[in-house]
Amino acid sequence: MTIQPNDRPLLEWTGDSLAIGLFEDAVELTGELATLDQKFAGVLKELIAEEEFKGKANSTIFTRVSGNTPLRKLIVVGLGKPEALKIDTLRRAAAAVARVAKKQKSKILGLSFPLWNNDPEASAQAIAEGVELALYQDVRFKSEPEDKAPQIETVELLGFAGQEAAINRAHQIVSGVILARQLVAAPANAVTPITLAETAQTIANEHGLQLQILEREDCEKLGMGAFLGVAQASDLPPKFIHLTYKPEGTPKKKLAIIGKGLTFDSGGLNIKGAGSGIETMKIDMGGAAATLGAAKAIAQLKPDSEVHFISAATENMISGRAMHPGDVLTASNGKTIEVNNTDAEGRLTLADALVYADKLGLDAIVDLATLTGANVIALGDDIAGLYTPDDAVASQLEKAAQTSGEKIWRMPMEEKYFEGLKSGIADMKNTGPRPGGAITAALFLKEFVKETPWAHLDIAGPVWTDKENGYNGSGATGYGVRTLVNWVLNAGE
Ligand code: BES
Ligand code: MN
Ligand code: ZN
């Protein structure tokens, strides 16, 4: 599929499906749209009336066009109230149109959308992202594709002549989102710590990044007892992945992105029971997937900041070598941890990754992790929790998320709750009481960052969606990639 920006007039456009975005106050067609309606004998007005179309955001209607014209379908998508138009409204509307057009077997789709904020660049990018994200289908694990409908070949963005660069940028970002979706969607027998390391190697080779993989012995030398404690029951080797993007010239900022990389979380000896969702725990490397997806996108976008992409990848398994509940581990900063629950393993792996990143002398660290069920209870399936003591990093991430359309919400770092992690035998326990469980998880992580401004995103909810949702199909969402990319791109400002 190619996405082409051009200035072909609506009234002269030829192709098989034409889609129009309409605000709530514009369903009484005027101007060019009234002329278009007349050209097709009033079919648009009729459609809007019959369907009682009000222009509500994301509502779509379509009709067959008859007569002597190559145009087969007219599609109308609602954009809501003009004053409420967000950049993500365009992204979602484009996704909705792309889905309808695909179902209607369109090959050449024309899109006529208004601008967000008088900004053709940002608008074109968001529309292109919406189209590409919505049309992606994962058929890797089917012996035969179920969907045999023809693919859309060309999407024309009318009124966006000259926006090739924005569309290209969208494509580069989407390539990162799709990589993240593929990694998360693949089962634990297909994506292992070894696969994650190989994926990092592929990104490094294709896009010229530096890569360092620390093997178990290397991690032992660095004293990464928390990470290795989690890894010790798995038959697969742990991989500590460190990819680096360096811009030409002096970097404006030096940043790290760290992702939780549990390719399967059985819970360990505190094994996940019936109803715990153990069969879905392939998603527990969603942070690592977003990290690698961001690396792939950033390597192509070439921002002027240096970025380190890090994941301590392993499985959390059971065997005769498994951690016992109650074991005491020593992390690479010397702190001791009583593992009162082997299922709180993500924070153990992140602890050593954070200590490692903290020593790199960076301006900021962001970690992403499918860390707690408690965060899902607090914020639901669509919103990531943002935990940070640093107001500046918080607002950078909130801004980046706003642009990307990914929802985040800042949560409190209530220091008093650290009391719940006090241990009689070690410096701290890895698990506190159930109430506020996502907050104590973040407070635990904070113990392993001393020098660097840091934020943690708990993405346990949005990493996955059971049903089609906006530009996400059902399944892995690739959550985080677009926010991370925006965060890095804005960091130089
Ligand atoms: N990977 C899970 C968290 C999770 C839960 C992710 C649901 C996605 C969906 C994490 O390792 C875990 O098991 N957390 C425990 C922590 C508890 C033992 C303190 C949880 O949330 O129940
Ligand atoms: Mn767990
Ligand atoms: Zn986990």
Side-chain angles (χ1 to χ4, degrees), residues 293-305:
K296 186 176 168 81
I298 285 164
Q300 297 171 74
L301 293 159
K302 302 196 192 311
D304 46 16
S305 293

Side-chain angles (χ1 to χ4, degrees), residues 63-324:
T63 185
R64 182 75 169 88
V65 176
S66 54
N68 187 18
T69 156
L71 192 75
R72 290 190 305 116
K73 305 271 170 162
L74 276 172
I75 305 170
V76 184
V77 61
L79 297 171
K81 296 204 165 66
E83 64 274 16
L85 185 74
K86 297 201 182 75
I87 188 68
D88 202 46
T89 317
L90 291 185
R91 196 182 279 112
R92 282 170 183 268
V97 163
R99 286 214 170 91
V100 172
K102 170 96 187 354
K103 277 199 194 97
Q104 298 305 313
K105 304 190 171 60
S106 311
K107 289 198 176 141
I108 300 174
L109 168 66
L111 267 170
S112 173
F113 277 20
L115 294 185
W116 168 81
N117 207 21
N118 278 322
D119 185 341
E121 231 180 288
S123 305
Q125 184 185 325
I127 294 168
E129 284 176 8
V131 169
E132 288 206 46
L133 289 170
L135 292 180
Y136 167 71
Q137 274 181 314
D138 189 355
V139 294
R140 291 171 301 160
F141 299 99
K142 300 270 187 196
S143 59
E144 256 189 67
E146 283 161 0
D147 173 13
K148 299 210 173 75
Q151 302 296 319
I152 297 181
E153 288 162 8
T154 311
V155 180
E156 294 186 29
L157 306 194
L158 308 183
F160 284 97
Q163 292 305 330
E164 282 83 1
I167 290 167
N168 192 36
R169 209 155 51 232
H171 185 69
Q172 292 168 332
I173 294 169
V174 170
S175 77
V177 179
I178 287 175
L179 173 63
R181 285 182 183 177
Q182 288 180 330
L183 289 170
V184 171
N189 63 348
V191 165
T192 67
I194 301 168
T195 326
L196 289 181
E198 286 168 354
T199 306
Q201 185 69 62
T202 307
I203 298 170
N205 295 348
E206 283 178 1
H207 304 289
L209 304 194
Q210 295 172 10
L211 175 66
Q212 202 184 359
I213 304 282
L214 306 185
E215 305 294 342
R216 192 195 303 269
E217 310 76 64
D218 306 311
C219 297
E220 270 163 11
K221 283 187 195 124
L222 291 172
M224 295 185 172
F227 170 43
L228 294 178
V230 175
Q232 75 194 32
S234 172
D235 285 339
L236 302 174
K239 300 279 177 183
F240 190 101
I241 300 165
H242 178 190
L243 256 178
T244 310
Y245 163 78
K246 286 193 171 154
E248 274 174 40
T250 317
K252 284 238 173 90
K253 287 277 157 51
K254 294 187 177 183
L255 310 168
I257 296 169
I258 302 179
K260 172 175 171 182
L262 267 292
T263 60
F264 188 71
D265 178 12
S266 72
L269 282 174
N270 293 102
I271 194 161
K272 290 181 182 294
S276 64
I278 188 171
E279 71 285 359
T280 65
M281 279 302 143
K282 66 177 184 183
I283 57 102
D284 215 15
M285 34 58 73
T291 302
L292 293 174
K296 186 176 168 81
I298 285 164
Q300 297 171 74
L301 293 159
K302 302 196 192 311
D304 46 16
S305 293
E306 177 175 309
V307 193
H308 299 260
F309 304 92
I310 295 168
S311 182
T314 183
E315 302 181 307
N316 185 22
M317 299 296 281
I318 50 174
S319 79
R321 280 177 286 126
M323 282 191 289
H324 317 91

Side-chain angles (χ1 to χ4, degrees), residues 260 265 272 281 283-284 341 343-345 347 370-374 431 460:
K260 172 175 171 182
D265 178 12
K272 290 181 182 294
M281 279 302 143
I283 57 102
D284 215 15
N341 192 324
D343 198 8
E345 83 300 334
R347 63 196 76 179
T370 49
L371 203 62
T372 67
T431 311

